[in-house]
Amino acid sequence: MYFSTRFARIAPLLAALAVQSLPTPAAAQLMVAPSRVVLAGAERSTELILVNKSDAQTAYRIDVENRRMRRDGALETATDTRTGELFAADMIRFSPRRVILEPGARQSLRVSVTPPAGLAPGEYRSHLRLMAAPTNVGTATAAPAEDANDGSLSIQLIAVRSVTIPVIVRIGTLDATATVDNAALSREGDNMLVVKLTRAGTRSTYGDLRLTIAGEANPVYSVRGIAIYTPNTDRDVMLPLPADIRAKLIGHDVRIDYVSSDPKAPGLIATRRVQL
């Protein structure tokens, strides 16, 4: 196959595409509420609301995929099933599967689950992946007339962004406990606080980490949405602290609270006092 020197012009676009495919820009373009689904007991369905926050007409395609959590909290695609993993993909149904939204427009997404009869107790989880791209996605056009003799193509690359939403199905009576095992400030000068969490039980935990200096009533810093998904039993949570917050914490006795934000399991999950 022949490639003209025009291919060199594509390299910067490929780099831009890689950057724009990261989760943060996707979250800025698409709002999904709620950001996680938990169905337990007799609950078998719910609705998500999608809002196009971009300034362009955007098409969204929705799929189901299995994902596993690494020890650092990052999620990766699971192409196989490992010991202790319980996936819900086969029981998840949703509609519509594709929508096109104008800027600022919203759409409801119906999600339901159909657990098979006799399904063993446990927490089953898969993720809805919402892929978004402007409706003028990737086109290939003929080269300008002055370059027509080389037979090359001009390629326009459009970023395809995605957001994932966990869908958790709880069968039977499940419980979970957790502990804050340790916390330490990074010595690398990156203002990072590493909090080590351990989970036990038959379901995941999900909540906020709050840092409160001894003697003070209110937290000086908090991070929302910290999950430990089954079957994982521990996680290293990396908290990037603003420089002024780090300065406040150093040398103080600090209480670290892991507080549930799961409405089906509210309350304090774990707490620990550490000297930073």
Side-chain angles (χ1 to χ4, degrees):
M1 181 179 294
Y2 173 76
F3 291 88
S4 75
T5 55
R6 183 179 294 275
F7 179 75
R9 302 180 189 178
I10 298 177
L13 293 175
L14 289 173
L17 176 64
V19 171
Q20 292 181 31
S21 295
L22 295 174
T24 299
Q29 299 289 328
L30 174 64
M31 185 181 78
V32 184
S35 59
R36 64 197 299 266
V37 172
V38 179
L39 297 173
E43 294 178 298
R44 290 293 180 263
S45 65
T46 190
E47 279 190 347
L48 299 176
I49 301 299
L50 316 181
V51 181
N52 179 7
K53 297 178 67 179
S54 74
D55 57 3
Q57 184 189 68
T58 306
Y60 301 91
R61 190 177 83 242
I62 303 100
D63 291 311
V64 176
E65 64 178 27
N66 295 330
R67 312 196 83 191
R68 65 171 53 97
M69 176 175 277
R70 301 201 307 250
R71 184 173 182 178
D72 62 1
L75 294 172
E76 61 185 15
T77 300
T79 57
D80 59 351
T81 302
R82 298 177 182 174
T83 301
E85 290 180 333
L86 300 174
F87 294 124
D90 290 344
M91 65 181 87
I92 295 174
R93 305 289 181 267
F94 56 92
S95 179
R97 292 179 173 270
R98 186 177 185 272
V99 297
I100 297 178
L101 294 179
E102 299 294 334
R106 62 179 58 202
Q107 168 76 44
S108 63
L109 175 67
R110 186 74 174 176
V111 181
S112 63
V113 296
T114 308
L119 186 64
E123 182 175 272
Y124 297 77
R125 173 181 50 85
S126 290
H127 292 246
L128 288 178
R129 184 183 182 196
L130 299 95
M131 289 167 285
T135 50
N136 60 333
V137 292
T139 59
T141 60
E146 61 270 24
D147 296 330
N149 290 336
D150 68 7
S152 63
L153 292 177
S154 175
I155 306 298
Q156 178 188 14
L157 296 180
I158 303 297
V160 176
R161 302 177 172 91
S162 68
V163 174
T164 59
I165 302 295
V167 178
I168 297 170
V169 183
R170 292 174 179 163
I171 304 296
T173 301
L174 309 178
D175 59 15
T177 60
T179 57
V180 180
D181 293 339
N182 195 15
L185 289 167
S186 168
R187 305 303 178 190
E188 304 301 323
D190 53 8
N191 291 337
M192 196 74 69
L193 177 67
V194 183
V195 180
K196 297 183 178 294
L197 301 177
T198 296
R199 183 201 64 84
T202 51
R203 62 169 174 80
S204 61
T205 59
Y206 181 80
D208 307 335
L209 279 177
R210 300 174 184 173
L211 311 180
T212 305
I213 296 174
E216 297 188 5
N218 299 315
V220 296
Y221 193 67
S222 63
V223 177
R224 302 178 62 184
I226 304 298
I228 311 176
Y229 290 131
T230 60
N232 295 40
T233 57
D234 60 285
R235 174 178 173 180
D236 292 340
V237 181
M238 314 293 287
L239 303 181
L241 299 177
D244 60 328
I245 297 298
R246 179 187 172 103
K248 286 182 180 180
L249 295 176
I250 289 179
H252 288 278
D253 186 24
V254 177
R255 189 181 77 244
I256 301 176
D257 294 328
Y258 184 27
V259 182
S260 175
S261 52
D262 183 345
K264 293 181 172 58
L268 180 66
I269 304 173
T271 187
R272 185 183 183 93
R273 298 175 74 98
V274 297
Q275 184 75 26
L276 296 180

